[in-house]
Amino acid sequence: MKPVGAPASFAFEGVTGDEFFQLKAGQAVPGLSGAPLVCPTRRAVVGVVTATRDRYSDLGGWAAPISALLSGGPGVPDDLTAYGEQVAVAGAAAVLADRAGWHAVLPVDDANELVDQPWTHADIRPGTGQPSTILRPEFAVVDYLFRAEILTTVTDWCDRPERLSVRYIDAGGGTGKTRFAVEACRAQRARGWVAGLLPADDRGVDKLAMPRLLVVDYVEERDAVALAARLAALARSASPLAPVRLLLLGRPSAGALAGQALAPLAEAATGATLSALDNAVDTSTAVADLTGPQRDMLFAAGLAAFGRTWNGPGWAVPSVEVDLSDPRYGRPLDVLLEAFDAALSGPHWRSGQRPPVDRALDHEARRWYQRMPELDQRTARLCVALSTLAGARDDAEASALLDLVADATPAPSRRQIDRWLRDLYDGPDRWNPLRPDRLGEALVARLLGEHDDHGLRLLTAVLTLRSDAQVERALDVLIRLAATPAVNGIAVAALATRYADLVQRCTDQTRPTDQRMPMAVQQPAQRVRVSLLDSLGRAHTALLTADRVADLPIAVQAQLSAAGDALGVLARDHGRSADARSIFTTALSIDQRRYELEPDNTSYARDLSISYNSWPL
């Protein structure tokens, strides 16, 4: 039967002596009797409207508590209690069958502000800004193709009854992880979910009583202990009505097994979070290599979208020939970079022999030179590369990077350079990196190669910066570049040069600022930090492999062994057992090599004994 009357809002005043809810500030108009009373705090039906407060006025009213219908009690007939139980079961089933419909009854204002949704802030106008903006996956300039079926599985996964569930994607840069996550979030947001990137700062999404799809990008770079605590808070707030779905994106190092990026997080997790991680589903089919026809279709879509976005809607799509047979074009980003080059190069474009990422960098760099003509072009590249490699979050960090380019000639003022870099790329920091990440990483690799020493002095200087945050960022970028032959050797040499100092900095960072206070009562700012330890441990595993370390001078190896023992103990004591195992393995191999070279050297024998005592963990 169609209900009679209209909705009304009340303020809860209290409970009367006969246990009715007393309401005010609303109107219990005729026809409202019997209507469900929904509480915005509990987000549930808590009562049934029964009467007005005054027979001569419809202001205010009374409601019978739903608990009387569900639990019975004095004056409640047994058959009414039985009906109440049936209503409760049927109501719960109906709500779970249409969670979005139920949450639409009581929307949470600005709920999506509790997560990061960069795709909602895209401001792309023809011919303005930097060309790379139209390549960023979160801005979705090109239509999303080929993955509709796997997106449907995400919707099905979200609709499952589990309170907390995890999926992950391990894949290299440019394979489409971020774009897939963006499309999944958009689809779920359209269904009433709160969906986006899990922010580094706690904005309250951990307590939100709404269905949530949360994405963690570069999960291997997050503080595993801190992230596990966030996920535990999410698990506590998850319910059948407000489930939590986590999509974890990782970029594994060479030779890593699928899901290995989750290992540090699983070590730190407990309870429901650990159970969800143990049952995490690999969703890497979402980034499978493109087939030949798919490459051609994506190129055509990208050429039209990039050309019209950059040049204006009247731009005519040229007829071009392109060979996409190289294995690199199995990755969507490489196809899009080729289309990007064609769209920005003009009518005489020809597919070049150089990798498409290098040609895309040329387009990007031309805009730097146009926007900052006073600056030497090589210095301009250095400035953007340093912003990408280390970044700058405040005046002090920006000043430290400017010190590294102080010898540039001709040189505009530091203030001019700072203003240019502040306006260059959007993001949360003062100086933000060039994105997509593979484009920024290619710039760093190119810049290092332009130096006579292949960038060794520059990398060493960056790893000497006073800001731990800048050093952590640099280590993370070098880890991503570990598979790049032109960078790998220099990164190993720079890391080996600064290794002992970095281990000491890890020790200092993990020491509480006030050791006189118990950990339980320290404020967050006083607690230990392990972010540098995490970055250095992963850098050790990715860069200081046994083969690479064996090529270093034996004196350098000895220094690595001594500092490595200290770092391994630190990693082990802070629950980073996988990193500790890798570090101790390197130290043990060094000590074995030194002992074999001089078996009569008692110092070498003692060092080998110490390494053996540290292993196994």
Side-chain angles (χ1 to χ4, degrees), residues 342-358:
L344 271 65
S345 293
H348 304 296
W349 175 82
R350 295 290 182 274
S351 182
Q353 298 299 312
R354 296 165 60 221
V357 68
D358 290 340

Side-chain angles (χ1 to χ4, degrees), residues 328-329 338 351-362 446:
R328 69 160 61 98
Y329 295 111
E338 196 73 57
S351 182
Q353 298 299 312
R354 296 165 60 221
V357 68
D358 290 340
R359 287 176 272 136
L361 270 179
D362 292 341
R446 175 187 287 189

